Amino acid sequence: MSNRKPYTRSMPRTWWLDHPFYRFYMVREATVLPLVFFTLSLTAGLICLVQGPQAWQSWLDYMAHPVVIILNLVALVASLFHATTFFSMMPQVMPIRIKGKLLDGKWVIGAQWAAVAVISLIALVLI
């Protein structure tokens, strides 16, 4: 046996910045960070709702803070960006065939956005 070490290629931490595809991928995956904040805020709201009116009011005051409003708007933009990229990938990931013919990707993407619009309207009407 030889005592040589195997070659290990060095990989800098910022390797993904050199490639546009990977840069876009990392930005897309980073959209989860504002959504984590939003989810934790809603969870805290549910906990405060259970604890009583005073805790609920303090959570409402917290949510009315300008920084929290800005972070929630960032979370909204991040979720829309994530949804847009996800919906645009769907025709390639799951091609739909009707009577042997491939359905145009625009119909698949449009159907997804229509479903989002219908579900959002139902939520608005119920709330």
Side-chain angles (χ1 to χ4, degrees), residues 15-24:
W15 64 269
W16 53 274
L17 289 173
D18 298 332
H19 307 284
F21 175 81
Y22 295 118
R23 237 187 344 243
F24 181 76

